């Protein structure tokens, strides 16, 4: 079974492109770092007993290999923990958006009628709004917190999945296999999740990979504007924001290193996403 | 012969006269076609309105102080000086008679008279949206004695009256009477050293020198006030010379400014105290977790432990980069009521731990520290540093730093157990903090509006109320000092941290003296 | 038929704006009391009550929303709590600066993105195509604020070539025609357009590649139609459709991202205004701003939809 999966045509094609593989490797590396940062770091930046003001704004040195911020937080350690938060927010909000958006989209497309109208109207209205504004208002008025940011980003992003899912369902439900399933007396639920869903995962995966990157950027931007995660548990975005304030005073390490890491993370995700999109795009098949 | 010589002399005189006239005219023309001097100021925040009676807020007040004059004004050390009122008497405790300066003109040429003064005071009293009501609420009546004399009667004896008058800018009755609030908010008509030219909200304000200003001419003909609220942007502007002077230089940029040999660097201790308030009225406080479930802040030993347990010196050194004055009490030294005998304690974590153990918390407790993140200098960073300090004596602090729009309503509803906040005694008199923060909350009498820890001590309340009505300066100060001593030394009702210091940078071509009240008054800049 | 469609869309757009206004109004209503932030510490409880009444916020939600709707019918969106001026005026004052930035950034993105996308699509494996693609990857991966920071660091702080903030002199409604204005525009526009450029580039490339593989293209080449004609006429025309859609959507996003750019460059537009107004709980401005933005957005989508029907004959109303 597993071997069959590995020999899957798509996977083979994926690995053909060197850049994509590099992206995958980097992402996997970052993922490992993020899963258990305590193994790789020598300071827990969230533990206030480990922070000493006397270490404030030290340039990179043997004690703190990438320098410290103004609270004496080790930038290297903070980066890895921040990476975890950024990844967590990106993945969690994407998964939630996919589940919610996809389900709503499936229901909307399959059942049609007023359910469809309502859901799509809401989606339309939301799409009439630049995403960042919605998230901005939610965060500015609701306060800070990782949970809240995830919800804010989910609220912004579910529409994309809903729209796509609905479009796919609309075209799939008239197809032969779906008709025959209905003729055979299968329940609607069974049809939706048993038959149609598996045939539609490809575009969703593609969109999701792109949107994970977007979600991470959105969180970073919100944190940059001061509306993101709490300051004692900084994400990469808030580290960059804090560092930006002091960037021109010469304390460059506080902003540059987290910034580079964020860039690397997003580029790796995009490399993977790019390749997946190229191989799954039927119109690019020769 | 005589006739001829007479004519000759006349013509020679004429020639000479002509030449002299020509020379004088040339000098006059050249003199007036001097190069217009422009002063470009970079400000951390702009004005919200051009109406000097709408919004009592430092940035707006600072900008409008260049266009308007009050009856009396603060100098750079917040001492009261004559301004539009050239003299005054206080014949009875409740009566103040002010004599207006003659010959003062508004920018449109109207003469300043008592009518304008009455109009200005009445407007604040009657306009629902004025933020200056607190400055005139003690006034019972304002009467015109004659065109240049005004009589104020206060409801009770009010020793701080003149200080409150510095906030009331005099507006031209003829221009403003009957106009809508929106119009007044866009068309300032004052008597001050600068006239209004244009206002691009959030971007800049352009002013032009008032050549008829009663106190003389300003050095600068044109004033451009640019709003550069992003710290890094503001610093970049002064470093590149795009502006001539900036306020609120971020503490981390001071080293760069100092090392730049084209710039001068100024610090001025300010009026704003940054301090911590604690929940002192509930037996169970919502954001504290202790082993016995009680509110630890009810015990004075715990409050003292906080005081000893916060390494304020490190905060000043590393977070404020040295640019803050350690605070031991409510008021900085320029404010009336300051007590030089009250000193700050030294950081002593061992003593703090001992106090906590004595009070029954040998293993500390958990608490949330609420703070704004966009109100005071480095507020969120200070809160984090405090949390870091307290962690070392066993108190686990969770920092919740939120925008001021969420923070202040939280404190007003007492939805907090422990919070960081500031207070500026902008009158220069200690009554401001004593009335607003220290006195127990009493909405009917208007006391303790910001006493959100709800600290209560009847002795202190009595002293505060007495000092508010005491016209004898020495007695008054004694009462204020005693109220403060009981509050801080005996009760530890707040944890004082530091006073903010104003930091300015300017080009070396300018002579600038910073003011305690943080205003930039261009007339004084040479 | 067309008329009915247009009417339908207009009605639809109106509903959208209505719902938006309701939601935003509600959120801001729930957000809290701005009076605390407007009044100084020495204000009394009485002052607070009077100010609330003067601003009309002591009424119930329904009453306030009703008053709002009545005002809207008169073309008035209320007065800003903070500025005291009509909210719509305050927003409109700042709008030209933001629009200038957005429009110029969009033009730059299109002018650079489309050609680069075409180049990268003709020979996808050539070294220059790969280089362009890598650049575009960077473009969509680097957050707007990071681009801005790096630009300011290099061009202002380190070299001093360009001014770090503000908007320059204005001539004929825009600052692009003066040298001073131009200098101030360069970095904000680059910051804003880097992301857009990359996106448009990639879309053009993908669209072109898809089309170039179609049989009718191969047929045209076989028939001897010059390469250039094939590329520019047939291929480009067909890849324009998704492009236009995206540009339409992206313009709205662009206006939103100007918020970050305006913060970094102290650009006096609506972005800074909205952040401050949210912080100050200045509900009329937030509502006015969002309505203006959604109006722009809705209008653009509407135009795009109508254009669609002309360009793509397959899309029947």
């Amino acid at each position: 079974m597993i071997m069959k999966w590995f020999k899957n045509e798509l996977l083979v094609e994926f690995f053909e492109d060197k850049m994509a593989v590099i992206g995958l490797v980097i992402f996997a590396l970052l993922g490992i770092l993020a899963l258990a940062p305590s193994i790789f770091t020598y300071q827990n930046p969230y533990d206030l007993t480990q922070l000493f003001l006397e270490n404030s704004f030290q340039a990179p040195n043997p004690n703190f290999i990438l320098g410290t911020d103004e609270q004496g937080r080790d930038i290297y350690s903070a980066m890895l923990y921040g990476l975890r938060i950024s990844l967590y927010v990106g993945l969690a909000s994407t998964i939630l958006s996919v589940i919610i958006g996809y389900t709503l989209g499936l229901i909307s497309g399959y059942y049609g009628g007023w359910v469809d109208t309502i859901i799509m109207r809401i989606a339309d209205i939301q799409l009439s709004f630049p995403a960042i504004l919605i998230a901005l208002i939610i965060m500015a008025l609701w306060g800070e917190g990782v949970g809240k940011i995830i919800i804010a980003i989910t609220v912004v992003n579910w529409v994309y999945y809903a729209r796509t899912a609905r479009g796919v369902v609309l075209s799939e439900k008239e197809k032969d296999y779906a008709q025959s399933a209905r003729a055979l007396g299968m329940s609607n639920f069974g049809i939706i999740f048993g038959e149609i869903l598996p045939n539609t995962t490809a575009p969703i995966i593609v969109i999701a990979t792109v949107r994970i990157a977007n979600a991470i950027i959105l969180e970073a931007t919100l944190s940059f504007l001061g509306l993101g995660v709490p300051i004692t548990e900084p994400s990469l975005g808030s580290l960059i924001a804090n560092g930006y304030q002091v960037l021109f005073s010469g304390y460059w390490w506080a902003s540059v290193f987290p910034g580079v890491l964020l860039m690397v993370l997003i580029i790796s995700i995009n490399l993977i996403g790019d390749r997946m999109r190229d191989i799954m795009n039927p119109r690019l098949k020769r | 012969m005589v006739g001829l010589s007479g004519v000759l002399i006349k013509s020679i005189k004429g020639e000479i006269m002509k030449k002299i006239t020509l020379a004088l005219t040339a000098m006059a023309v050249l003199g007036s076609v001097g190069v217009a001097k422009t002063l470009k100021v970079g400000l951390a925040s702009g004005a919200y309105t051009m109406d000097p009676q709408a919004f009592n807020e430092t940035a707006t007040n600072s900008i409008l102080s260049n266009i308007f004059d009050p009856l009396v004004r603060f100098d750079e050390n917040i001492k009261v000086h004559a301004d539009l009122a050239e003299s005054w008497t206080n014949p009875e405790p409740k009566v103040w008679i002010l004599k207006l300066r003659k010959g003062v003109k508004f920018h449109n040429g109207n003469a300043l008279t008592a009518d304008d003064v009455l109009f200005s005071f009445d407007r604040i009293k009657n306009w629902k949206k004025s933020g200056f009501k607190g400055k005139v609420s003690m006034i019972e009546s304002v009467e015109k004695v004659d065109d240049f004399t005004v009589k104020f009667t206060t409801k009770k004896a009010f020793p701080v009256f003149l200080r409150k008058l510095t906030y009331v800018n005099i507006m031209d009755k003829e221009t403003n009477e009957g106009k809508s609030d929106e119009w007044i908010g866009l068309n300032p008509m004052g008597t001050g050293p600068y006239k209004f030219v244009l206002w691009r909200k959030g971007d800049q304000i352009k002013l032009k020198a008032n050549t008829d200003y009663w106190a003389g001419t300003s050095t600068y003909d044109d004033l451009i006030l640019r709003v550069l609220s992003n710290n890094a942007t503001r610093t970049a502007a002064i470093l590149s010379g795009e502006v001539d002077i900036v306020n609120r230089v971020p503490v981390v940029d001071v080293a760069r400014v100092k090392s730049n040999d084209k710039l001068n660097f100024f610090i001025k201790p300010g009026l704003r105290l940054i301090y911590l308030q604690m929940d002192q009225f509930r037996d169970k406080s919502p954001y504290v977790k202790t082993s016995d479930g009680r509110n630890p802040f009810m015990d004075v030993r715990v409050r003292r432990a906080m005081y000893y347990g916060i390494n304020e010196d490190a905060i000043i050194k590393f977070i404020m980069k040295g640019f803050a004055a350690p605070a031991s009490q409510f008021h900085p030294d320029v404010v009336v009521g300051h007590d030089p005998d009250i000193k700050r304690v030294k950081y002593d974590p061992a003593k703090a731990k001992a106090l906590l153990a004595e009070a029954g918390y040998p293993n500390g407790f958990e608490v949330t520290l609420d703070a704004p993140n966009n109100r005071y200098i480095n507020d969120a960073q200070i809160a984090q540093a405090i949390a870091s300090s307290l962690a070392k004596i066993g108190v686990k602090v969770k920092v919740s730093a939120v925008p001021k729009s969420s923070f202040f309503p939280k404190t007003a509803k007492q939805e907090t157990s422990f919070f960081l906040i500031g207070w500026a005694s902008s009158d220069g008199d200690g009554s401001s903090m004593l009335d607003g923060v220290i006195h127990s909350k009493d909405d009917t009498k208007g006391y303790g509006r910001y006493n959100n820890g709800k600290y209560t001590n009847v002795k202190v309340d009595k002293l505060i109320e007495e000092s508010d009505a005491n016209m004898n300066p020495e007695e008054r100060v004694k009462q204020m000092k005693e109220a403060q001593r009981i509050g801080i030394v005996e009760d530890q009702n707040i944890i004082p941290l530091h006073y903010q210091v104003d930091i300015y940078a300017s080009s070396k071509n300018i002579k600038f003296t910073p003011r305690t009240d943080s205003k930039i008054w261009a007339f004084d800049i040479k | 038929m067309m008329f009915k469609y247009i009417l339908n869309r207009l009605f639809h757009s109106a509903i959208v704006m209505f719902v938006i206004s309701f939601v935003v109004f509600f959120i801001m209503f729930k957000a809290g009391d701005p009076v605390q932030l407007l009044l100084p510490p020495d204000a009394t409880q009485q002052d607070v009550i009077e100010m609330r009444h003067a601003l009309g916020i002591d009424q119930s939600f329904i009453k306030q929303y009703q008053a709002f709707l009545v005002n809207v019918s008169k073309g008035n969106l209320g007065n800003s709590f903070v500025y005291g001026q009509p909210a719509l005026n305050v927003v409109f004052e700042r709008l030209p600066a933001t629009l200038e930035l957005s429009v110029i950034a969009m033009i730059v993105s299109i002018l650079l993105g489309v050609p680069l996308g075409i180049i990268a699509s003709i020979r996808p494996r050539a070294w220059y195509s790969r280089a362009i693609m890598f650049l575009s990857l960077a473009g969509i991966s680097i957050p707007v604020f990071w681009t801005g920071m790096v630009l300011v660091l290099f061009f202002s702080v380190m070299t001093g070539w360009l001014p770090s903030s503000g908007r320059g002199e204005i001539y004929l409604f825009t600052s692009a025609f003066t040298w001073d204005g131009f200098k101030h525009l360069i970095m904000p526009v680059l910051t804003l357009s880097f992301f857009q450029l990359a996106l448009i580039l990639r879309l053009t490339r993908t669209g072109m590649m898809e089309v170039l593989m179609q049989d009718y293209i191969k047929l045209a080449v076989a028939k001897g139609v010059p390469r250039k004609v094939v590329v520019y006429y047939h291929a480009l025309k067909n890849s324009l459709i998704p492009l236009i859609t995206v540009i339409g959507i992206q313009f709205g996003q662009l206006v939103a991202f100007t918020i970050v750019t305006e913060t970094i460059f102290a650009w006096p537009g609506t972005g800074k205004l909205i952040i401050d107004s949210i912080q100050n709980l200045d509900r009329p401005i937030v509502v006015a701003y969002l309505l203006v933005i959604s109006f722009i957005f809705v209008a653009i989508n509407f135009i795009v939809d109508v254009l669609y029907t002309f360009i793509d004959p397959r899309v029947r109303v």
Side-chain angles (χ1 to χ4, degrees), chain A residues 211-265:
Chain A
R211 299 227 71 92
I212 291 182
N214 266 9
I216 295 180
I217 293 185
L218 188 57
E219 180 273 315
T221 307
L222 285 172
S223 298
F224 182 78
L225 293 173
L227 298 169
V229 294
I231 44 164
T232 41
E233 294 175 21
S235 69
L236 288 176
S238 30
L239 282 174
I240 299 175
N242 274 344
Y244 176 59
Q245 290 305 316
V246 300
L247 183 62
F248 306 129
S249 329
Y251 302 117
W252 55 273
W253 55 90
S255 194
V256 170
F257 290 129
V260 169
L261 184 59
L262 184 66
M263 262 169 51
V264 168
L265 173 67

Side-chain angles (χ1 to χ4, degrees), chain A residues 48-49 51-54 56-57 70-71 73 140 144 226 231-232 242 244-246 248-249 251, chain B residues 231-232 252-253 256 314-315 318-319 321 373 380-381 384-385 387-388 391-392 397 400-401 406:
Chain A
L48 293 173
T49 53
L51 297 185
F52 293 93
L53 280 179
E54 286 75 15
S56 162
F57 280 139
E70 78 277 298
Q71 298 287 339
R73 213 177 269 127
E144 51 172 23
I231 44 164
T232 41
N242 274 344
Y244 176 59
Q245 290 305 316
V246 300
F248 306 129
S249 329
Y251 302 117
Chain B
N231 283 349
V252 284
D253 292 330
R256 286 187 92 202
I315 292 179
F318 294 106
I319 304 288
K321 294 267 173 270
N373 67 8
Q381 304 296 354
Q384 281 190 81
S388 175
K392 320 263 188 323
V397 178
S400 169
S406 315

Side-chain angles (χ1 to χ4, degrees), chain A residues 57-269:
Chain A
F57 280 139
Q58 286 189 16
N61 60 63
N63 286 332
F64 302 104
I65 52 180
L66 293 180
T68 60
D69 69 5
E70 78 277 298
Q71 298 287 339
R73 213 177 269 127
D74 174 48
I75 295 289
Y76 167 71
S77 309
M79 270 165 61
L80 289 189
Y81 279 86
L83 175 69
R84 176 160 72 164
I85 291 191
S86 297
L87 265 177
Y88 173 58
V89 171
L91 282 171
S93 61
T94 303
I95 293 178
L96 261 175
S97 313
V98 169
I99 296 179
I100 295 179
Y102 207 60
T103 311
L104 285 177
L106 279 179
I107 295 178
S108 181
Y110 193 76
Y111 287 108
W114 59 268
V115 169
D116 180 28
T117 318
I118 290 185
I119 294 182
M120 280 304 118
R121 281 300 145 259
I122 297 179
D124 268 346
I125 292 172
Q126 254 198 256
L127 284 172
S128 300
F129 245 43
I132 189 175
L133 285 183
I134 303 179
L136 216 149
I137 296 183
I138 294 179
M139 290 313 294
L141 301 175
W142 204 7
E144 51 172 23
V146 176
K148 291 175 186 162
I149 274 217
I150 293 179
I151 295 184
I153 298 180
T154 306
V155 166
V156 167
N157 277 336
W158 72 270
V159 277
Y160 299 100
Y161 304 104
R163 271 268 180 101
T164 314
R166 178 179 177 270
V168 163
V169 167
L170 282 179
S171 59
E172 292 291 310
K173 81 175 177 181
E174 303 306 324
K175 288 206 178 143
D176 291 339
Y177 73 88
Q179 306 263 27
S180 35
R182 224 175 304 153
L184 283 174
M186 228 183 177
S187 73
N188 281 333
F189 188 78
I191 299 181
I192 296 179
F193 288 100
E195 303 288 330
I196 298 187
L197 180 63
N199 285 318
T200 54
T201 40
I204 291 295
I205 294 180
V206 170
I207 300 181
T209 45
V210 171
R211 299 227 71 92
I212 291 182
N214 266 9
I216 295 180
I217 293 185
L218 188 57
E219 180 273 315
T221 307
L222 285 172
S223 298
F224 182 78
L225 293 173
L227 298 169
V229 294
I231 44 164
T232 41
E233 294 175 21
S235 69
L236 288 176
S238 30
L239 282 174
I240 299 175
N242 274 344
Y244 176 59
Q245 290 305 316
V246 300
L247 183 62
F248 306 129
S249 329
Y251 302 117
W252 55 273
W253 55 90
S255 194
V256 170
F257 290 129
V260 169
L261 184 59
L262 184 66
M263 262 169 51
V264 168
L265 173 67
I266 298 178
I267 289 182
S268 68
I269 296 179

Side-chain angles (χ1 to χ4, degrees), chain C:
Chain C
M1 195 55 200
M2 182 58 125
F3 187 63
K4 236 177 111 183
Y5 177 69
I6 293 182
L7 217 59
N8 189 321
R9 295 288 291 149
L10 278 175
F11 178 67
H12 183 238
S13 312
I15 298 215
V16 165
M17 306 228 336
F18 175 75
V19 173
I20 290 179
S21 77
F22 185 82
V23 170
V24 175
F25 199 89
F26 182 73
I27 294 181
M28 293 304 290
F29 176 80
K30 273 283 173 207
D33 182 14
V35 173
Q36 273 268 350
L37 300 168
L38 292 173
L39 285 178
D42 57 4
T44 66
Q45 201 50 31
Q46 185 60 24
D47 295 338
V48 173
I49 295 177
E50 284 183 5
M51 175 72 104
R52 282 228 189 94
H53 188 74
L55 293 176
I57 54 180
D58 54 351
Q59 313 260 344
S60 73
F61 173 70
I62 299 291
K63 279 230 170 67
Q64 288 194 51
Y65 192 61
Q66 253 178 334
F68 170 71
L69 286 177
V70 166
N71 274 338
V72 169
S73 62
K74 294 193 217 145
N76 169 9
L77 288 176
N79 279 2
S80 155
F81 293 156
V82 168
Y83 290 98
Q85 303 293 325
L88 212 52
N89 289 7
V90 178
V91 173
F92 278 144
E93 253 184 39
R94 310 274 285 248
L95 203 56
T98 302
L99 283 179
E100 174 183 66
L101 206 52
S102 318
V103 169
I104 295 182
M106 189 49 113
I107 293 177
V108 167
S109 316
I110 296 179
L111 283 180
L112 284 179
V114 171
L116 283 176
I118 294 178
I119 295 175
S121 70
I122 300 180
R123 273 188 241 278
R125 300 211 187 232
W127 67 269
Y128 53 82
S129 297
R130 286 179 168 275
I132 292 178
M133 284 316 286
F134 191 71
L135 207 70
S136 76
L137 186 69
I140 62 168
S141 305
I142 302 182
V144 172
F145 59 86
W146 186 235
T147 317
M149 272 166 60
V150 169
L151 285 176
V152 173
L153 188 61
F154 184 69
F155 287 104
S156 290
V157 178
M158 282 170 40
T159 60
W161 292 339
L162 293 175
S164 62
S165 66
R167 193 180 178 204
E169 276 168 47
I170 302 178
Y171 180 69
L172 289 182
F173 299 117
T174 160
S175 60
F177 295 139
T178 63
W179 176 235
D180 176 58
F182 186 73
K183 269 198 296 181
H184 281 94
L185 262 178
I186 296 180
M187 286 199 296
V189 165
L190 279 180
T191 306
L192 208 47
S193 59
F194 193 35
F195 184 85
Q196 288 304 107
L197 199 162
L199 206 67
I200 291 179
L201 198 164
R202 304 171 118 231
L203 270 160
T204 311
R205 172 183 177 266
T206 311
M208 288 288 290
M209 278 173 69
E210 284 177 10
V211 168
L212 283 173
M213 291 207 199
Q214 299 291 333
D215 288 337
Y216 68 86
I217 295 289
K218 300 200 179 138
L219 189 62
V221 172
K223 273 167 92 175
V225 179
R227 201 101 225 268
K228 277 221 170 100
V229 173
V230 170
V231 167
Y232 289 115
Y233 183 65
H234 294 286
L236 192 56
K237 192 178 76 159
N238 286 306
S239 42
L240 273 182
I241 296 163
L243 197 63
I244 293 182
T245 322
V246 169
I247 290 179
I249 298 179
Q250 283 305 121
F251 191 73
Q253 300 275 2
L254 200 63
V255 172
F257 274 112
T258 56
I259 291 181
V260 177
T261 313
E262 287 180 20
T263 307
I264 299 180
F265 292 100
W267 191 263
T270 49
K272 184 87 194 353
L273 177 67
I274 188 63
I275 293 233
D276 288 345
S277 300
I278 294 179
Q279 307 273 13
N280 291 328
L281 297 180
D282 194 350
R283 185 181 65 207
I285 299 241
V286 178
V287 172
Y289 173 78
L290 286 168
L291 281 177
V292 169
I293 293 289
S294 31
F295 178 74
I296 294 178
F297 216 7
V298 159
I300 292 183
N301 274 339
F302 179 69
I303 295 175
V304 165
D305 275 351
V306 171
L307 271 178
Y308 235 45
T309 64
F310 286 122
I311 294 184
D312 189 349
R314 289 176 291 172
V315 177
R316 262 294 149 238
V317 201

